[in-house]
Amino acid sequence: MPKDLEASIDIAAPPEQVWAVVSDLERMPEWSPQCRWTKVIGAPRAGAWSVNLNRAGWKYWPTTARIVRYEPGKAIAFRINENKMTWAFDLEPTETGTRVVQSRDASRGSTWISRTLINTAMGGDQCFDPVLIEGMQRTLSRIKAAVEAG
């Protein structure tokens, strides 16, 4: 059974400035070491869909997602249709800027095909989860660098 995952970082910028970067899902390939391409169908909002291409080493796979939460300046979350996982970025104001929490909610379980592929091609959760956590930390570090560079 997949687990919930979480990583966070503090950014020296107000939530509105961080939101402008985090909510632009088509820029995700700039931040995420796994995401190679994202196209949001229509305007980003709750209910909007995206088409994505991901990569880990020599392995590529497409996904589709639906934005399930869209709160300007506060949070954006999208559920991957192929595996039922919900990924989110939550923004919390701090005294020095904004804390960004990236999370993967696995409470809906996963699909048979996703479980099979993770177990056969990714080494199972015990191998894949640490890769995802490291990717989340890299994603947040890249977002921080972009926001703080202005």
Side-chain angles (χ1 to χ4, degrees), residues 28-57:
M28 194 57 65
E30 294 177 44
W31 325 129
S32 170
Q34 194 174 81
C35 182
R36 291 294 170 256
W37 182 81
T38 294
K39 175 65 179 161
V40 177
I41 310 304
R45 60 176 170 69
W49 291 80
S50 70
V51 179
N52 319 287
L53 180 63
N54 301 292
R55 177 183 174 203

Side-chain angles (χ1 to χ4, degrees), residues 10-15 92-99:
D10 289 338
I11 300 177
E92 306 167 4
T94 65
E95 288 184 21
T96 58
T98 307
R99 175 165 296 123

Side-chain angles (χ1 to χ4, degrees), residues 12-27:
E16 302 77 32
Q17 189 177 343
V18 177
W19 173 255
V21 172
V22 169
S23 65
D24 188 352
L25 295 180
E26 292 187 4
R27 291 186 69 188

Side-chain angles (χ1 to χ4, degrees), residues 41-99:
I41 310 304
R45 60 176 170 69
W49 291 80
S50 70
V51 179
N52 319 287
L53 180 63
N54 301 292
R55 177 183 174 203
W58 57 269
K59 300 170 276 277
Y60 285 86
W61 64 98
T63 61
T64 58
R66 184 166 212 162
I67 298 174
V68 294
R69 189 169 159 218
Y70 191 86
E71 299 175 50
K74 295 181 181 179
I76 187 166
F78 49 93
R79 182 176 307 116
I80 305 299
N81 296 305
E82 290 74 16
N83 66 13
K84 301 194 292 187
M85 302 294 159
T86 299
W87 289 86
F89 290 93
D90 287 282
L91 283 57
E92 306 167 4
T94 65
E95 288 184 21
T96 58
T98 307
R99 175 165 296 123

Side-chain angles (χ1 to χ4, degrees), residues 65-144:
R66 184 166 212 162
I67 298 174
V68 294
R69 189 169 159 218
Y70 191 86
E71 299 175 50
K74 295 181 181 179
I76 187 166
F78 49 93
R79 182 176 307 116
I80 305 299
N81 296 305
E82 290 74 16
N83 66 13
K84 301 194 292 187
M85 302 294 159
T86 299
W87 289 86
F89 290 93
D90 287 282
L91 283 57
E92 306 167 4
T94 65
E95 288 184 21
T96 58
T98 307
R99 175 165 296 123
V100 180
V101 179
Q102 184 182 13
S103 61
R104 180 189 79 174
D105 176 357
S107 64
R108 295 172 55 102
S110 188
T111 61
W112 175 85
I113 189 70
S114 180
R115 301 292 341 125
T116 300
L117 291 172
I118 287 171
N119 288 332
T120 59
M122 306 291 196
D125 289 326
Q126 68 278 7
C127 294
F128 194 47
D129 283 358
V131 170
L132 291 176
I133 289 285
E134 191 274 333
M136 293 165 76
Q137 292 167 339
R138 285 177 57 195
T139 297
L140 292 172
S141 293
R142 291 172 177 172
I143 290 170
K144 175 184 174 79

